[in-house]
Amino acid sequence: MLLALKAFSTTGCFSVIRPYAYGCCASGLYEARLAAAHMGGHVAVYSPAYREAELAELLEFAHHIDFNSMPQWLRFREFCLSHPRVQSGELLLGLRVNPCYSTGHTPLYDPCVPGSRLGIPLAELEGVDLTGISGLHFHTLCEQGAQELIDTFRAFEKSFGALLASPRIKYLNMGGGHWITKPDYDRAALISLLREVRECYGVEVFLEPGEAWCVHTGVLRARVLDVFDSLGYRHAILDVSASAHMPDVLEMPYRPDVFAVRPLGEAPGTPAVMLPTESYAQAQTAGDLPFTYRLGAPTCLAGDVIGDFSFAAPLQVDDEVVFDDMTHYTIVKTTHFNGVPHPSVQLLQDNGSLRRLCALDYADFEHRLG
Ligand SMILES: Cc1ncc(COP(=O)(O)O)c(C=O)c1O
């Protein structure tokens, strides 16, 4: 089980994850370097395309490198096969394939959509010399259960089963998108599939979830900067931006759970990560509670709105609101759009105290822009 760094790369939390992770999956050289420096263990790399210089560095320390197309593999095959770590078997090389089997409903997150550039379809593999290839990789799921993985594996098996059974193939990477830590995920079914694949095909099986490591493990705290009425809506402008701090709210799109911080003693809410000195009141759909606000960002983008939410009490300037489930695909995706400041990243420790992991300031903003 690998941690997909694209979802969560906060190195200050790796000590919590390390006991359960065999290593990391990286999307390229930078994430691979982060994995080696901060997590240790296995480093599996897949990128839709490599630069030669990047690959040269990866050959020195990665354990799996998977290629996305036959031209990339053929271009770099001799370069890779002549490396001593490949010759000694310390580094194995694989291909990402496309089983062309969609289980998702959002094309943006579906690598099996018609015209996809991600993974090699069966037709492109036929008749090709696969000398030097030791692994196969598919990634097709997004926030899905064990049954979708089983169905996907059966589709993969139909197309690529003969190749998987050949003695040259030593590992199968089943990608990410497994919602393993959700209470209703059928973990017994997952275990039984993994055992079956290992026993039938004699391969080592890897999974590389990102989101599942982090579900409900972190909140984004925002402050109300202004409240006003305009064109039939009551707006609350916050000091956070969907575009800059939580882009999945716009891209996915995703509606987070929102809580208002209330003094201890008022009816407590249930965000997954809460400070022991506070209680929270959960906001509801617009109109369900007496005070509805359009929660918006302090940026120029007209659509930089987190959503319409209703609260039990009116929001006031300086009130705090808390967005739940803001760890995965959030911290890694932030930007300095409009020069918005960034909140610090803090770790809530077992004793209830906060440890600051990072704080970005004006110098970070200035430095990134060159
Ligand atoms: C190749 C690959 N592996 C793993 C993941 C992690 O997926 P998730 O965070 O949905 O588990 C992704 C996500 O896009 C991916 O593209």
Side-chain angles (χ1 to χ4, degrees):
M1 195 71 71
L2 306 173
L3 165 67
L5 292 181
K6 69 192 77 190
F8 184 68
S9 299
T10 301
T11 54
C13 296
F14 283 6
S15 59
V16 181
I17 293 175
R18 193 176 293 112
Y20 310 99
Y22 187 63
C24 292
C25 99
S27 319
L29 180 61
Y30 281 8
E31 282 188 358
R33 284 178 55 180
L34 201 78
H38 294 278
M39 183 70 85
H42 191 88
V43 179
V45 192
Y46 156 77
S47 170
Y50 299 98
R51 290 187 194 89
E52 186 170 343
E54 178 183 25
L55 202 52
E57 249 188 88
L58 288 169
L59 287 169
E60 300 300 323
F61 68 94
H63 300 96
H64 289 174
I65 299 179
D66 294 330
F67 291 84
N68 184 60
S69 77
M70 289 315 294
Q72 270 258 309
W73 164 240
L74 296 175
R75 177 174 164 214
F76 291 122
R77 180 167 65 180
E78 295 317 314
F79 183 51
C80 293
L81 295 184
S82 61
H83 195 280
R85 291 186 68 245
V86 175
Q87 289 175 355
S88 70
E90 207 181 330
L91 164 59
L92 300 180
L93 306 166
L95 298 177
R96 175 169 173 176
V97 297
N98 181 353
C100 297
Y101 184 80
S102 288
T103 52
H105 308 290
T106 313
L108 184 65
Y109 292 93
D110 182 3
C112 297
V113 282
S116 171
R117 72 189 190 293
L118 303 173
I120 306 167
L122 182 63
E124 303 296 324
L125 273 184
E126 271 164 8
V128 173
D129 174 11
L130 293 178
T131 306
I133 290 297
S134 313
L136 293 175
H137 180 179
F138 65 80
H139 166 79
T140 65
L141 305 181
C142 179
E143 299 189 338
Q144 280 162 319
Q147 192 55 50
E148 284 92 346
L149 175 62
I150 293 166
D151 296 344
T152 300
F153 177 74
R154 298 293 169 226
F156 160 84
E157 202 175 25
K158 236 183 228 168
S159 299
F160 301 98
L163 177 57
L164 185 65
S166 81
R168 75 165 79 245
I169 299 300
K170 305 280 188 274
Y171 71 86
L172 173 64
N173 185 329
M174 296 185 178
H178 320 282
W179 241 358
I180 299 171
T181 48
K182 285 280 178 176
D184 57 354
Y185 187 93
D186 188 347
R187 286 178 281 276
L190 171 68
I191 290 167
S192 134
L193 175 72
L194 299 183
R195 288 205 169 122
E196 177 202 317
V197 175
R198 217 164 47 180
E199 281 157 23
C200 291
Y201 292 97
V203 291
E204 225 185 328
V205 184
F206 289 79
L207 273 76
E208 47 181 30
E211 176 166 342
W213 290 96
C214 310
V215 170
H216 294 302
T217 59
V219 297
L220 173 63
R221 300 173 71 91
R223 202 165 275 279
V224 177
L225 300 179
D226 193 18
V227 178
F228 59 87
D229 293 323
S230 178
L231 301 173
Y233 285 87
R234 179 150 292 182
H235 297 267
I237 306 290
L238 307 179
D239 64 352
V240 298
S241 150
S243 176
H245 297 115
M246 39 181 150
D248 272 359
V249 166
L250 302 179
E251 272 179 28
M252 246 185 120
Y254 163 72
R255 185 177 161 91
D257 286 339
V258 177
F259 297 80
V261 177
R262 291 289 162 229
L264 263 186
E266 291 191 24
T270 53
V273 179
M274 54 196 291
L275 298 182
T277 51
E278 292 172 341
S279 69
Y280 300 81
Q282 182 160 11
Q284 306 292 337
T285 306
D288 282 4
L289 293 173
F291 303 96
T292 293
Y293 297 85
R294 175 156 289 185
L295 300 183
T299 67
C300 65
L301 180 68
D304 200 351
V305 166
I306 298 142
D308 295 342
F309 294 87
S310 67
F311 294 82
L315 285 183
Q316 289 166 6
V317 169
D318 267 350
D319 276 353
E320 274 197 72
V321 292
V322 171
F323 297 94
D324 193 17
D325 218 3
M326 283 292 151
T327 316
H328 50 84
Y329 294 106
T330 303
I331 302 170
V332 290
K333 281 191 166 188
T334 53
T335 73
H336 270 114
F337 179 54
N338 272 225
V340 288
H342 279 272
S344 59
V345 177
Q346 308 202 44
L347 182 63
L348 179 60
Q349 304 188 100
D350 287 341
N351 66 8
S353 66
L354 288 170
R355 182 159 69 84
R356 178 175 290 193
L357 300 180
C358 92
L360 302 181
D361 58 16
Y362 172 75
D364 297 294
F365 168 59
E366 188 182 38
H367 178 73
R368 281 188 71 228
L369 297 172

